[in-house]
Amino acid sequence: MAFDVDVRLRRGEKVIACAFRSDSGIVALFGPSGAGKTSVLDMLAGLVRPETGHVAIAGRTLFDASVGIDLAPAVRHCGYVFQRPRLFPHMRVRANLRYGRPRGDPEGGPHGLSQHALIDLLGIGGLLDRWPWSLSGGEAQRVAIGRALLSNPHYLLLDEPISSLDHTRRQDILDMIARLHAFTAIPVVYVSHDQRELDYLGGTVITLS
Amino acid sequence: MTWGFSADEWVIVGLSLKIGLVAMLAMLAPAFALAWLLARGRFPGKLLLDTLVHLPLVVPPVVTGWLLLLLFGTRGPIGGWLANWFDITLLFRWTGAALAAAIMALPLMVRAMRLSITAIDRRLEQAAETLGASRLRIFYTISLPLALPGIFAGAMLGFARSIGEFGATITFASDIPGETRTLPIAIYSALNSANGEATVMRLALLSIALSFAALILSEYLARRILVSDHDHGV
């Protein structure tokens, strides 16, 4: 079982609840803005603690309120690509990419994909010596994806990773995510409010309202 | 004589710079710790600590000097202890002048550093956390480097404030040539002497120049905080 998730959180008046079990490697969270999609990802990453429920991904229990399990984000091995890239502004692209490396294998890349192959796949080989402020939105987002993957994550969380990009870039990144998943078989949770993206990527669709 | 300064005046300048530097360096770590605590901490008595830190900014400096006399005088609780166990006396010494300057500089240093800590984007720390970094590693690799402009700005402000310190210093450390006679104290005693106008003029211009340089540097660094806060693509 790739995903066994049941989380619940109260945010003021609103209750954010999301439950799904899936063997499919890609799960898409779909719903209008404000439905709590990002909050669900934050709960999967351990950045926000659900009030009740449990989270098990790729056979590992990360959170279980009933037995008091709550792993810290740092030990969940989660590759989180946020809605905005959140690159570290005081580090060059190379150092950003390396930030999660100590956890990963120093030589190889994630899931049998070599580090160089990943950088090629993302098309960021020419950006390694650049500063984050000099990158375009699309470049920054691809670096953020690379940084998350190079930390050798057990699962990948993508929060509308292409919403801020223009149309040609969107298709590039979508292709890349599909290729990545085909290469690595890493479980992915993908957040979007665009039906076309979900049709393209396939997988299980969970609708939040 | 060089640049119109007499040997005595050079001693005054050197002493002021030494006291300013020592006061600033000694306060660097405590000021940052307090700034961090006030920016990030949630604990009972935070308002009280905040007020205590800022007190030297508004209390008459002579009162601060008098409190230092009570605490660090030879019969004071801390002064007596230092004298008995370590044979250290601060009263009427340049170290005492540095202590007075440090206490007076603390609030300004804490304010500048706190501002830069508050300006750190917490989402960057979260990103580092998901990448497997420990709290300590996040502090050293993310939080501290991002707060650095504010730390430098606070240090410059503290240095400028220290070399300008008068009230608490003259109360606690007195006016001893070559030991505690810093720029402002020398200016004050030159004002009170018969032929001191030229000295007053020279030393006053010098202290304005020093303060100007320190402030402009600190403002420049404070602006860097705002710029890095608006970096695109972050």
Side-chain angles (χ1 to χ4, degrees), chain B residues 179-192:
Chain B
E179 189 70 33
T180 67
R181 181 175 284 181
T182 57
L183 272 170
I185 292 173
I187 293 169
Y188 186 72
S189 29
L191 272 174
N192 289 327

Side-chain angles (χ1 to χ4, degrees), chain A residues 4 14 20 30 42 48 52 101 167 171 183 200:
Chain A
D4 180 4
K14 211 171 67 178
F20 58 91
F30 182 67
D42 283 348
V48 169
T52 57
R101 295 290 293 158
H167 279 287
Q171 194 54 48
F183 260 120
Y200 184 82

Side-chain angles (χ1 to χ4, degrees), chain A residues 184-208:
Chain A
T184 63
I186 181 174
V188 174
V189 182
Y190 185 93
V191 159
S192 177
H193 60 254
D194 186 336
Q195 186 65 53
R196 282 164 305 175
E197 289 175 23
L198 302 184
D199 291 344
Y200 184 82
L201 284 174
T204 312
V205 176
I206 309 295
T207 305
L208 268 80

Side-chain angles (χ1 to χ4, degrees), chain B residues 168-186:
Chain B
T169 309
I170 197 152
T171 311
F172 179 57
S174 187
D175 173 15
I176 299 162
E179 189 70 33
T180 67
R181 181 175 284 181
T182 57
L183 272 170
I185 292 173

